[in-house]
Amino acid sequence: MGDTVLDGGANQGIYTLSFGKKVGKHGKVISFEPFEYCVSQIKYNSKINNLSNIKIIKKCLYNKNTNLSIDYTDGIGSASITKNLGNLKKKVKTITIDKTKKNLKLNKIKLIKLDIEGAELDALIGAKRVLKTDKPIVSVECEPKEFIKINKFMSKYGYNPYLLNNDGFLIKITRIINKEPCVIFVNDNMKFKLNFIKKKIIDKYMEVFILCGGYGTRLDHQSKLIAKPMVRIGKEPIIYYIMENFANQRLNNFVLCLGHKKETIINYFLK
């Protein structure tokens, strides 16, 4: 509680909201997201979850403060400032993590999460001072080739990489074979805290965040009228069965991140 967390590549805010609830009212979450649609969803979801500790920066993380093009040909969720995917592009401003901390006069940064479609190493290069002084836990999404470069860079600052195993514990690694959504780097100087980090991740107190904001374009005939999770299978909507499956695993604390046709979901649960 009371920690400062950075969420690079926030999209609609599923991690941002989770961080916001965990750091508490005395903590801060800095969320980086350049697309206005996603920003509006984060603001809305923050409001309905009574979270006032989230600040959104409408910029992309990079190794310097500049102007670049972001390619969103494959959709906003796959948008990248380092990849050439097609013709759908727009201009964006970038900022470094070090500059962000200085500008906002942030306290020690506890955690950095990066899911920015190939720009993870660039963002870390822009965080040299923070890595050296704050020694935050860093979570990155990366491909095997990117992992080699990132691991080499992070080792200069005393970091080692870990993955969560199926039991929810951190296991030290030296390589990855497939794309991993969550490679966790922990500084050697934090070894005394690893017992805390290694605790069971999945327990009865864990919150389940369900992203419900998609347009459901493949269900166009129904999603024009209702949110995708409200499409019925038998007597109940999809969201009912998703929540039922989690409840069968003793996970009963849900946070729904709403977007398109959100009122249809709200009305369902208010009945």
Side-chain angles (χ1 to χ4, degrees), residues 7 106 161 163 191 243 266 269:
D7 185 2
L106 299 175
L163 285 178
K191 283 183 178 178
M243 295 174 73
I266 293 172
F269 285 101

mmCIF file of all heavy atoms in Angstrom, residues 7 106 161 163 191 243 266 269:
data_model
loop_
_atom_site.group_PDB
_atom_site.id
_atom_site.type_symbol
_atom_site.label_atom_id
_atom_site.label_comp_id
_atom_site.label_asym_id
_atom_site.label_seq_id
_atom_site.Cartn_x
_atom_site.Cartn_y
_atom_site.Cartn_z
ATOM 1 N N ASP A 7 2.337 1.903 -15.497
ATOM 2 C CA ASP A 7 1.711 0.963 -16.423
ATOM 3 C C ASP A 7 1.933 1.446 -17.844
ATOM 4 O O ASP A 7 1.233 2.332 -18.334
ATOM 5 C CB ASP A 7 0.214 0.844 -16.120
ATOM 6 C CG ASP A 7 -0.477 -0.209 -16.986
ATOM 7 O OD1 ASP A 7 0.217 -0.865 -17.788
ATOM 8 O OD2 ASP A 7 -1.699 -0.375 -16.858
ATOM 9 N N LEU A 106 7.879 12.045 -8.419
ATOM 10 C CA LEU A 106 7.394 10.802 -7.836
ATOM 11 C C LEU A 106 8.336 10.277 -6.763
ATOM 12 O O LEU A 106 9.551 10.472 -6.826
ATOM 13 C CB LEU A 106 7.253 9.730 -8.926
ATOM 14 C CG LEU A 106 6.277 10.026 -10.065
ATOM 15 C CD1 LEU A 106 6.340 8.929 -11.110
ATOM 16 C CD2 LEU A 106 4.856 10.181 -9.536
ATOM 17 N N PRO A 161 15.917 -12.481 -14.492
ATOM 18 C CA PRO A 161 14.561 -12.705 -15.004
ATOM 19 C C PRO A 161 13.874 -13.915 -14.364
ATOM 20 O O PRO A 161 14.510 -14.923 -14.047
ATOM 21 C CB PRO A 161 14.804 -12.948 -16.492
ATOM 22 C CG PRO A 161 16.156 -13.600 -16.543
ATOM 23 C CD PRO A 161 16.951 -13.026 -15.388
ATOM 24 N N LEU A 163 9.881 -16.242 -14.371
ATOM 25 C CA LEU A 163 8.544 -16.497 -14.876
ATOM 26 C C LEU A 163 7.706 -17.101 -13.752
ATOM 27 O O LEU A 163 8.242 -17.764 -12.858
ATOM 28 C CB LEU A 163 8.557 -17.471 -16.059
ATOM 29 C CG LEU A 163 9.035 -16.952 -17.417
ATOM 30 C CD1 LEU A 163 9.026 -18.088 -18.433
ATOM 31 C CD2 LEU A 163 8.175 -15.794 -17.912
ATOM 32 N N LYS A 191 16.634 -9.543 -2.980
ATOM 33 C CA LYS A 191 16.484 -10.957 -2.681
ATOM 34 C C LYS A 191 15.795 -11.194 -1.345
ATOM 35 O O LYS A 191 15.084 -12.172 -1.151
ATOM 36 C CB LYS A 191 17.851 -11.643 -2.690
ATOM 37 C CG LYS A 191 18.381 -11.904 -4.094
ATOM 38 C CD LYS A 191 19.701 -12.641 -4.068
ATOM 39 C CE LYS A 191 20.169 -12.935 -5.494
ATOM 40 N NZ LYS A 191 21.489 -13.616 -5.495
ATOM 41 N N MET A 243 -17.920 -15.816 -15.153
ATOM 42 C CA MET A 243 -17.854 -15.595 -13.710
ATOM 43 C C MET A 243 -18.134 -16.880 -12.936
ATOM 44 O O MET A 243 -17.543 -17.129 -11.882
ATOM 45 C CB MET A 243 -18.828 -14.491 -13.312
ATOM 46 C CG MET A 243 -18.456 -13.131 -13.895
ATOM 47 S SD MET A 243 -19.668 -11.824 -13.587
ATOM 48 C CE MET A 243 -19.389 -11.532 -11.845
ATOM 49 N N ILE A 266 -24.400 -3.129 -16.980
ATOM 50 C CA ILE A 266 -24.809 -2.523 -15.711
ATOM 51 C C ILE A 266 -26.261 -2.904 -15.393
ATOM 52 O O ILE A 266 -26.575 -3.305 -14.267
ATOM 53 C CB ILE A 266 -24.651 -1.000 -15.770
ATOM 54 C CG1 ILE A 266 -23.157 -0.631 -15.878
ATOM 55 C CG2 ILE A 266 -25.257 -0.338 -14.530
ATOM 56 C CD1 ILE A 266 -22.896 0.833 -16.133
ATOM 57 N N PHE A 269 -26.761 -6.536 -14.042
ATOM 58 C CA PHE A 269 -26.385 -6.801 -12.655
ATOM 59 C C PHE A 269 -27.226 -6.010 -11.656
ATOM 60 O O PHE A 269 -27.222 -6.331 -10.466
ATOM 61 C CB PHE A 269 -24.900 -6.497 -12.439
ATOM 62 C CG PHE A 269 -23.992 -7.541 -13.032
ATOM 63 C CD1 PHE A 269 -23.357 -7.320 -14.236
ATOM 64 C CD2 PHE A 269 -23.801 -8.742 -12.390
ATOM 65 C CE1 PHE A 269 -22.539 -8.287 -14.796
ATOM 66 C CE2 PHE A 269 -22.980 -9.725 -12.934
ATOM 67 C CZ PHE A 269 -22.345 -9.497 -14.135
#
